[in-house]
Structures are given as C-alpha cells and as structure tokens.
Amino acid sequence: MNVVVCVKQIPDPAAPGALDPGTKNLVREGKLILDDSDAYGVEMALQLADAAGGGDVTLVSMAPNGETSGLRTALAMGAAKAILVSDDSLAGTDALGTAKVLAAAIRRAEPDLILAATESTDGYTGTTPVQIAELLGLPSVTFAKKVEISGASVKVERQTETGYDEVESPLPAVVTVTAGVVEPRYPSFKGIMAAKSKPVDVLTVADLGVDAGQVGAAGARQEITDVAEAEARSAGDIVVDEGEGYQRVIEFLEQLKVL
Amino acid sequence: MSVDKIWVLAEVADGAPITTSLELISHARSLGGTVEAVAYGDGTAAMAPTVGEYGATTVHDVGDLAGALPGAPVAAAIAALVAAGNGPDVILFPATYDGRDIAARLSVKIDRPVLTNVVGLTEGDGGLVSQHAIFGGSQILSARFTGEGPHIFVVRAKSFAAEPTGGAAAAVVAAPAPDTGATNAAKIVARHVEERIGPKLDEADVVVSGGRGLGEKEQYALIEELATLLHGAAGASRAIVDAGWVPYSHQVGQTGKTVKPTVYMACGISGATQHMVGMKNSKNIVAINKDQDAPIFSVADLGIVGDVHKVLPKLIEALKARG
Ligand SMILES: Cc1cc2nc3c(=O)[nH]c(=O)nc-3n(C[C@H](O)[C@H](O)[C@H](O)COP(=O)(O)OP(=O)(O)OC[C@H]3O[C@@H](n4cnc5c(N)ncnc54)[C@H](O)[C@@H]3O)c2cc1C
Ligand SMILES: Nc1ncnc2c1ncn2[C@@H]1O[C@H](COP(=O)(O)O)[C@@H](O)[C@H]1O
C-alpha cells in the first residue's frame, strides 16, 4: 500500500512568531522544522504500510528556499522518499493555492491513501487537506483518532462534539489525523544516516503544470489590512500558596457570587 | 461589492441549530441585507421557526444525506445554487468539524479562497473585513478578500452574541445535492456518544480544567469533583486529551471548545497560545500552577503559585464543608 503524507515545514514554534512588517505574512526565514502535527501522519503511514505488508511512504511538502530539514526528520523516521515543491513564486500562497500545488504533486505518487494533520501549527486553517481531496475528486475523513485499513477501504474513528463516529471510505481517500492517533517514533541513529541519501524530488510550480496565477499573493485574492494589539488582560493577584491558597480561591468565588 | 445577501450554515445537533450558527445568523442580520440559512439532515423543517426567530428568512434544505459525511454533498448543493446565479455575497460557516469540511470543498468547487479562524466581522469598503486572533490572542489581524464573491468565512464559536428578533419561521426551499461521485463515498456506519454529567462545557458558568500538571490520569478525578461542587463543567488541555486521560470532548482551545464562562479555573495548565485562544475571553480566570513563570498567570485574575495536589484537595474539602 502506498501512502502519501503531507508534511509542512515550519519555523520553530518555540521561537516567538512575527509578521513581516511589509507583507504582514508570517516570517518564514531561517531553518524550518517538521511540523510536530505532521509527525503523527508520518507515524500512522509507516504503521499502515507495515500492517498492509509493505509499500512506500512518500512525503509531499511545499516550502520556501528548497527547505528539506523537516523532510529529513520524517525520512529518518522511515519514509522512503519525498517530493518538495519550492519556488519563489509561491510566497504568499494561501490554503487553496497550497492545496492546488500539493494535489498536483500527490497525483505523481498515485497513492492509495493520503494523510495530513487536522491543522498545521503555524497556519491552522485546517482546510488544505479537504481542498486537496476535492481537487483530486476523492472522499475525505477529517479528525481521525484511529485509522485502520481493511481491504480496499479505510475505517476511521472520527472525533465529534460529543464522542466519535465510525466512518468507512473506499480508497483512495484523504484522512486527517489528530495528535492522539499514534505515538510518533524518534528517528534512530541508523534512520538519520539513511535519510541523508533518500531521494527528494524538488519541483517548481511550472514542473507541476500549475498555472502561476493560481499561487502566490495574487492567487490568494485576500489581503491583511491591519494588525493591532489585542486588549491586554491585566494580570491580577498572584499569590504563593503557603497552605492557605485554597482560601483565596474561595474568597474570589464568593466575591463573584459563584458561591 | 456590497453585502446584500449572506448565507449561514445552520448546523444541527440534538434536533436544534447549534448556538454558533445562531450567533452567525444574528450577526449577519446586523450587517444588513438578507440573511438565509443552508441546512442538511432530516430535521430542517423542525428548525425553520428557530432560524427565523434569529433573522433568517429562508432555509435552503439539502435534505437527508443518507449517512454520508456532509462535506461533499452540502458543498455541491451550495455550488449548484451559486452556479445557477442564486448565490449570496458572503457565506458564513461555524468553525466545526463539518463546517470546515464543507467550506473547504466549496472553496474548490467555486474557486474562492477561505478566511478561517474568524473572530469578528465588520463592514468595510466593498465587502466585509474579518478579524483573527493571532499569537494566542495577543494581536488582532484584520483581513479582506480582494477578488469576487461569494466570500467564504469560517467563524469561531462565541465570536458574536445569539439574539432572537422574533422573526417568522423561515421558508424551507429544497436544495438537493447534485451527484458528487467518489467524493461522497465516506459513510458514517456508527455513532458513539460519550456520557456527560453536568452542564455542557461551552455553556457552563464555571469551567474547571486540568492539564499535564495533574501528573497522572487518576488525578483528573480532582477536576471532576471540583467542577461538580461548583455546578460547572470539567475541561482539559490538549496534552492530557492526547495522552488519553480524558475524551476529546473536554478539550479547550484552538482545536477544542471555545469557552467564556464567569469563572475559568486552569489547574496544572501552562497556558500555551493554542490553549489560551479557547479561554482567554472568560470573564474571570483562576490559575493554579507551581511554576510562577507559567504564561497562564499573565491572563489570570487570581493566580495561585502552588501544587495542584495540595491546593485542590483542600479546596474540595472546604467546599464540601460548606455543604
Ligand atoms: C495545531 C495545534 C493545536 C493545538 N490545540 C490545542 C488546544 O485546542 N488546546 C490545548 O490545550 N492545547 C492545544 N495545543 C497544544 C498546546 O500547544 C500545549 O502543548 C498544551 O496546551 C499543553 O498542555 P498543558 O498545559 O496541560 O501541559 P504543559 O504545557 O506540559 O504544562 C503543564 C503545566 O503544569 C504545571 N505543573 C506541573 N506539575 C504541577 C503541580 N504539581 N501543580 C501545579 N502545576 C503543575 C507546570 O508548571 C506546567 O506549567 C495545540 C498545539 C498545536 C500544535
Ligand atoms: N505547505 C505544506 N506542505 C505540506 N503539507 C501541508 C502544507 N500546508 C498544509 N499542509 C498539510 O495540511 C495540514 C493542514 O494545514 P492548514 O490548512 O495549514 O491547517 C497540515 O498539517 C499538513 O498536513
């Protein structure tokens, strides 16, 4: 079974985020890393391919400056190869444009299953994977907390407001996974060494046959008009518990007439 | 483009439109023009009076989906109306699982971008301007579409107030989905509803949430007991949902519920940006954390620097003693 995993490479979320004062886009300079949210998809793909008795796990990513650091991490986990779309014309691309590019790249891999995260850490629109499904004419199941392959279909436990639904879909399909789905493995030393020589196919928008007008800031057809400080919440009383801290909570609740 | 016609996805749960959809209908009304709803499922006729009461004049009814996930068929039904020239200027979706899926499929079908995680919508030159809370809600970004409509916005819960106007029941018009082929092949084969005691998390007046600082799954019982004593609901950070300590329905934050209770108590929760966006607008915030530098203290009205295993049992005993 061949699985494609969409993996986003993002600035380290531990570093404080910033907007470019000119374009107001998120600053994506310097080294990018594998979005932690996508580590779950990579792990899930490896486990499903394994359970199906073999097949390739192919990574697909769109990132600036030919960035491959995040891809190498996922390759070190065990993915076989990667397709990277990198092209200066992609700066400012929105979710729909990203989906158009990724869908075109995914077509090349002819997968049985496409995995992505429910949402990325830096963009968190959560729409890209379903847009990919629609572009490819495939069914999609979002918010999977459990994924199993059974013959030519995929069985998913999909989170709902009140519990979960059991959903079945024929393959190929797009499935988005939550962080609870599996525990991602740490790349082994052997994996890290092997990843260095795994193939990464670097493509441009033109290589994929995607019309340049569909991507970049022009394709996004939206603009940021303003960025302002939110009304700050002033910090209140901070007290160190010396055994009577609970009493302060009770007084506060009384004051609010909750008690 | 002026905003003459706004559609709102009226999602149904337990036989009634969800609160977020009613919030969107109410706000759409204040933006002027006609407000209409799009609904699916077998209960549309029953909810026509409610959506009418909040200001929608018409419900475009996609009808029963025969177990299919709503994304593909509902998007196809909306796209068909747009293609026939009956589309709106703006379509508002609640930021729910299904709302997001439908908006994503629709965006491809009509080739329009989507603005997601919207927390405010105001009138601007030639269209709407959306507000988005970024960096954990510390900054508000405003955006607008520059291309042609229909403009698609996906809006977070509790961004607006739901206010009935006493309007008449909305007229129900059938809007069946055209054939969607393979895209419609994912089917729900069984539903599982988790048991809930006490008020709903997003409606409770008091929310007591626990995080990784509880140390182990069994300690979540402290959170549940305290929530029950305060007639509130028990919430959680994603860390302990992912760890399998509590079901996902308890999660507060970016990917979970947005709550705005009178009191939010964060116990052993660090205050990551993704948690904060879901609770920062609570009227009062109490935080208990042993690390005095935890970010959660920056939004707390009352912060207790202490060990949850010491503070919570005492608090519970004291509340019990009050009877
Ligand atoms: C795309 C994306 C979406 C996300 N969505 C959400 C979301 O919806 N909701 C959400 O909550 N998170 C979300 N997260 C995760 C978020 O980034 C944090 O990882 C998570 O909120 C941390 O949970 P926590 O505060 O319980 O754990 P930690 O960050 O580990 O914090 C534990 C805290 O407990 C304190 N502590 C430890 N022991 C004690 C003790 N004995 N007594 C008192 N305090 C103690 C520590 O000082 C620490 O501050 C998301 C992340 C991503 C990438
Ligand atoms: N540039 C990208 N490259 C690869 N995958 C992506 C990219 N953008 C989004 N995705 C996938 O789509 C998911 C949702 O992204 P988003 O729509 O940004 O929330 C991500 O978690 C990835 O799995």
Side-chain angles (χ1 to χ4, degrees):
Chain A
M1 202 188 56
N2 293 323
V3 187
V4 157
V5 191
C6 297
V7 296
K8 197 168 180 183
Q9 303 179 82
I10 62 167
D12 188 346
L19 299 178
D20 181 296
T23 63
K24 303 209 177 70
N25 287 327
L26 213 53
V27 176
R28 288 201 170 82
E29 258 151 37
K31 185 169 165 276
L32 303 180
I33 61 169
L34 173 68
D35 185 342
D36 195 41
S37 304
D38 283 321
Y40 301 90
V42 174
E43 179 64 40
M44 190 78 250
L46 292 169
Q47 290 187 16
L48 292 174
D50 220 29
D56 275 349
V57 173
T58 306
L59 310 168
V60 171
S61 188
M62 179 183 118
N65 309 323
E67 180 66 62
T68 58
S69 315
L71 288 175
R72 293 289 169 204
T73 305
L75 290 169
M77 286 173 72
K81 54 187 192 291
I83 302 175
L84 171 68
V85 190
S86 195
D87 190 321
D88 289 346
S89 71
L90 289 170
T93 304
D94 75 331
L96 181 57
T98 303
K100 287 174 181 171
V101 168
L102 293 176
I106 290 166
R107 261 199 204 99
R108 304 196 152 207
E110 295 181 12
D112 302 301
L113 176 70
I114 299 139
L115 296 178
T118 48
E119 58 189 12
S120 64
T121 301
D122 64 342
Y124 56 95
T125 80
T127 54
T128 311
V130 178
Q131 288 168 324
I132 291 172
E134 183 66 26
L135 287 159
L136 296 174
L138 298 178
S140 57
V141 187
T142 50
F143 281 93
K145 64 184 193 100
K146 192 171 171 201
V147 186
E148 262 173 29
I149 301 295
S150 132
S153 61
V154 57
K155 291 186 178 179
V156 173
E157 287 184 8
R158 181 185 191 235
Q159 282 174 359
T160 61
E161 289 291 335
T162 50
Y164 66 95
D165 287 347
E166 284 174 47
V167 179
E168 267 182 49
S169 170
L171 296 173
V174 173
V175 174
T176 73
V177 298
T178 63
V181 74
V182 275
E183 196 51 52
R185 71 192 68 181
Y186 285 105
S188 64
F189 179 69
K190 217 175 114 208
I192 294 168
M193 295 315 287
K196 296 195 168 140
S197 55
K198 286 182 177 173
V200 177
D201 203 2
V202 185
L203 302 172
T204 62
V205 173
D207 292 336
L208 288 169
V210 174
D211 176 35
Q214 303 281 306
V215 299
R221 292 167 284 166
Q222 57 195 267
E223 63 181 17
I224 293 167
T225 56
D226 184 48
V227 180
E229 289 297 317
E231 218 178 294
R233 242 198 123 95
S234 48
D237 284 350
I238 308 291
V239 290
V240 178
D241 178 45
E242 311 272 6
E244 303 300 314
Y246 77 95
Q247 197 52 45
R248 291 295 298 268
V249 179
I250 292 196
E251 283 160 20
F252 188 66
L253 295 175
E254 279 174 342
Q255 204 184 312
L256 297 172
K257 305 213 171 2
V258 168
L259 287 180
Chain B
M1 187 203 80
S2 66
V3 182
D4 293 327
K5 201 200 270 184
I6 301 181
W7 284 2
V8 175
L9 182 79
E11 194 174 324
V12 174
D14 298 329
I18 62 167
T19 309
T20 314
S21 288
L22 297 178
E23 290 163 5
L24 294 184
I25 293 172
S26 301
H27 188 67
R29 208 183 61 223
S30 76
L31 294 169
T34 315
V35 182
E36 299 179 347
V38 175
Y40 55 91
D42 53 13
T44 305
M47 69 177 223
T50 312
V51 296
E53 207 182 328
Y54 284 81
T57 54
T58 302
V59 182
H60 299 277
D61 180 17
V62 184
D64 188 53
L65 304 181
L69 290 177
V74 178
I78 297 173
L81 292 169
V82 171
N86 296 326
D89 303 305
V90 168
I91 313 183
L92 305 180
F93 289 92
T96 56
Y97 309 102
D98 292 339
R100 234 167 62 162
D101 284 2
I102 299 168
R105 291 215 177 245
L106 178 66
S107 88
V108 172
K109 285 193 179 294
I110 63 174
D111 194 31
R112 295 289 181 274
V114 189
L115 281 164
T116 49
N117 287 303
V118 173
V119 297
L121 278 169
T122 48
E123 279 172 280
D125 288 343
L128 297 182
V129 174
S130 55
Q131 279 82 46
H132 308 255
I134 58 167
F135 302 141
S138 60
Q139 290 185 34
I140 302 290
L141 179 150
S142 298
R144 68 178 196 104
F145 289 112
T146 53
E148 271 176 46
H151 291 161
I152 308 171
F153 297 95
V154 181
V155 188
R156 292 187 62 89
K158 298 193 162 57
S159 297
F160 309 110
E163 286 162 30
T165 53
V172 180
V173 186
D179 183 18
T180 39
T183 58
N184 198 18
K187 307 281 179 202
I188 301 168
V189 293
R191 315 202 87 147
H192 297 263
V193 175
E194 273 141 11
E195 219 181 303
R196 171 174 53 82
I197 21 172
K200 279 169 94 170
L201 183 56
D202 50 357
E203 288 169 8
D205 210 32
V206 177
V207 174
V208 183
S209 286
R212 191 153 28 205
L214 290 169
E216 54 177 9
K217 182 177 180 174
E218 288 62 39
Q219 299 295 320
Y220 191 75
L222 291 170
I223 301 296
E224 284 172 325
E225 192 171 8
L226 184 56
T228 307
L229 285 165
L230 296 171
H231 310 290
S237 71
R238 190 176 96 173
I240 70 168
V241 171
D242 289 348
W245 296 4
V246 288
Y248 175 78
S249 52
H250 291 257
Q251 185 174 319
V252 172
Q254 181 179 302
T255 345
K257 300 265 182 343
T258 304
V259 299
K260 280 190 185 178
T262 305
V263 184
Y264 185 86
M265 286 184 64
C267 310
I269 291 178
S270 60
T273 56
Q274 296 94 345
H275 188 78
M276 301 262 235
V277 283
M279 46 65 74
K280 190 173 169 258
N281 291 322
S282 301
K283 290 181 199 80
N284 299 280
I285 296 171
V286 179
I288 306 172
N289 195 306
K290 70 173 185 192
D291 172 11
Q292 62 177 4
D293 296 324
I296 193 76
F297 286 131
S298 69
V299 298
D301 299 284
L302 175 63
I304 307 288
V305 182
D307 185 341
V308 285
H309 305 113
K310 294 192 179 131
V311 180
L312 292 181
K314 280 191 193 155
L315 183 54
I316 288 167
E317 281 321 305
L319 289 171
K320 276 188 182 158
R322 295 164 66 103

